[in-house]
Amino acid sequence: MTTADATADTGSAGLGDAFREWWTNVRSGQLGSLPIIIGLVIIAIVFQSQNDRFLTASNFVNLIVQSAAFATIAMGIVFVLLLGEIDLSVGYVSGVAGVIAAVLLIPDGNELSTPIAVALALGSGIAIGTLHGLIITKIGIPSFVVTLAGLIAWNGVVLLLIGSRGTVVLQNDFLIGLANDFLPESTSWALWLLAVLIFAGIQLNEVRIRRKAELGHDPLSVIALRVGALAVALGAAVYVANEDRGIPYLFLLVGFFLLFWGFVLGRTRFGRYVYAVGGNAEAARRAGINVDRIKIAVFAICSFMAAVGGLVLASRLRSVDTNAGGGSILLYSIAAAVIGGTSLFGGVGHIKSAILGALVIASIDNGLGLLGLGSGEKFVITGGVLLLAVTVDSLSRRAQAQSGRA
Amino acid sequence: MTDTALLELRGVSKHFGAVIALHEVDFRVYPGCVTALVGDNGAGKSTLIKSVAGIYRIDGGEVLYEGQKVHISGPREAADLGIEVVYQDLALADNLDVVQNMFLGREELESLHTLDEIKMEARAQDTLQSLSVTTIRSVRQTVAGLSGGQRQSVAVAKAVMWNSRLVILDEPTAALGVAQTRQVLDLVKRLAEQGLGVVIVSHNLHDIFEVADNITVLRLGQNVAEFKRTEVTQEQVVHAITAGKLSKVPGVVDTTEEVTA
């Protein structure tokens, strides 16, 4: 009875109750995305006070483009972290995909058609991830070691593929346009309206179904607030971006993957099993879940997203060279997933944490760049932020334990 | 109590190499009754329930389910027969909520192969209500936030939700405090009231005398006594556990047979 009553209550409660419940959760350590949003605000204030170019339309568009590759690769990392595993090879896997696409599209008379070259580049990601997954599950080597070997080996493959060319300049319109083209203003507003309407429709439909099943649901005022918040936030982004070059196609790409993987993790059996294996692999096994198959699929997804990120990076730089996939890509991508709130211990996290974390990382990188600071300062400060994010996470976990919720 | 046993083991034996874990054990469970399985460490309690659950294959004897001879060769077959085991570690995923845990591996799907959360939440609530589990605030909170007794309740509800007829509970009260033990024992009684056969494995005679109708005592892989709770004292049961008469003394004659065979 109590269970039914408790949930039914939330159905009839108003905005005030919903806010009070949220505040209780925050106080007991269930912070959600709150710390990272506060963090982004602080970053914005600090950089804006140092350099008034940080909060301009032009820099806002730059930020979206700069964070897109990290966000894409970090989404794959979120999957792997949800299992409590790690993938250290994503940097050079992204390099391999970027180089494959670039080399196959060199207009030397033997070039492939764009869709085939892109499919082969992304397919190489899936194949690499499947290989990692098979070695990890069937031979039983820890993912840390397998993907460390991958980090070295795929770096070698990048060098072999580039060969004596040194640098391959992209000349394919699609590949260049991926990170360098922008939506027309009218299209971006039409998509904004569509997104808000679909979101509102989904939310209201949920209420309708839950009401029919006589289960508790969120009060309509909270839903109105949620839809309003999305409309305002997305609308602001579209407006500001249109003051400059417009909404980048990358924004759509990242948005698509956010919705798609969010759907997979939240609404499908596969997603449920990913969380279950990360939370308690033995319980998952006893529930009849094929744990190995889930792990292999997750490593394939991770490398696939790395490949997508590799195409984005190549497009942004308009070329690939022997450094493709190297540098800070791997560490920034893992840091993005962790800063966004995905636990390293498995089972806890959300795909949106990849995007929030990537925004934080790109903001710091971008802001310090505007201040004229070099890589040394960038790495030190980014490292500090990563440590801070994990500290907040672990302190909030302690608060949860003390309030009996962990 | 009906006359046909829900589950009957006749002369069941199980060896691990030269070690005899079970030697011609008889064991009966009736619907609507709580049967306690007691014995000291190494008496064969776990081997017995794992044999029934299909994790071990028996080497001798026969298993009858509702009077029919059956071969349980895997956990799936046990589940198909309506046998569910709640192991001591409960096998719950802490990061998932109550509903997600109860349906893990057997999720309800909608037409588009998406999860039917509504149906699952409603059914989970119905099941918990039918067991009068009232202490769980919301079925959408994660299992990590539940007390030991609540977790046990969720694990039991998960087991009985699938039209199971026989529920085996391995040490359900071992890690619980007084109030939580009470919750779980009440739950065990309600399962029997609903007509299920219940087997409870426990070291705690106090708990057993509170819920069990029948008590089967194992000692060194053999059953040495069967009691009705109403006709026995705790002292008699303790005596059977520690010094019950064995039909076969292990380690002397038979071991040589084992080795030569």
Side-chain angles (χ1 to χ4, degrees), chain A residues 35-51:
Chain A
I36 196 157
I37 288 167
I38 293 173
L40 277 170
V41 171
I42 293 173
I43 288 170
I45 292 171
V46 170
F47 284 131
Q48 179 66 10
S49 66
Q50 298 295 313
N51 182 329

Side-chain angles (χ1 to χ4, degrees), chain A residues 1-4 6-7 21 30 82 206 209-210 213-216 263 265-269 272-276 278-280 282-284 286-289 346-348 404-406, chain B residues 76 87 89-96 100 104-110 113-115 117-122 125 128-129 133-140 142 144-146 158:
Chain A
M1 274 312 286
T2 327
T3 48
T7 40
E21 189 178 331
Q30 292 178 312
L82 281 176
E206 185 89 344
I209 295 172
R210 292 188 69 92
E214 296 177 340
L215 291 167
F263 173 83
L265 279 178
R267 309 282 305 198
T268 68
R269 261 189 187 167
R272 180 66 39 86
Y273 294 169
V274 169
Y275 281 100
N280 187 341
E282 180 56 28
R286 282 198 216 150
I289 296 168
V348 179
R405 292 197 181 190
Chain B
R76 277 277 170 224
Y87 291 100
D89 67 3
L90 303 183
L92 298 173
D94 275 354
N95 59 328
L96 299 184
Q100 291 169 345
L104 190 59
R106 305 191 247 202
E107 287 81 2
E108 302 274 358
L109 295 179
E110 292 167 331
H113 279 275
T114 48
L115 298 172
E117 297 288 351
I118 309 290
K119 194 168 167 189
M120 289 194 277
E121 186 170 332
Q125 263 180 14
L128 287 169
Q129 275 178 40
V133 175
T134 56
T135 54
I136 293 174
R137 187 171 47 90
S138 159
V139 289
R140 283 299 179 188
T142 57
L146 300 182
K158 178 183 177 180

Side-chain angles (χ1 to χ4, degrees), chain B residues 30-60:
Chain B
Y30 294 93
C33 287
V34 179
T35 305
L37 188 59
V38 298
D40 211 342
N41 291 335
K45 306 187 296 286
S46 294
T47 311
L48 182 64
I49 61 173
K50 281 179 177 165
S51 302
V52 174
I55 293 173
Y56 294 154
R57 286 193 184 197
I58 57 173
D59 298 323

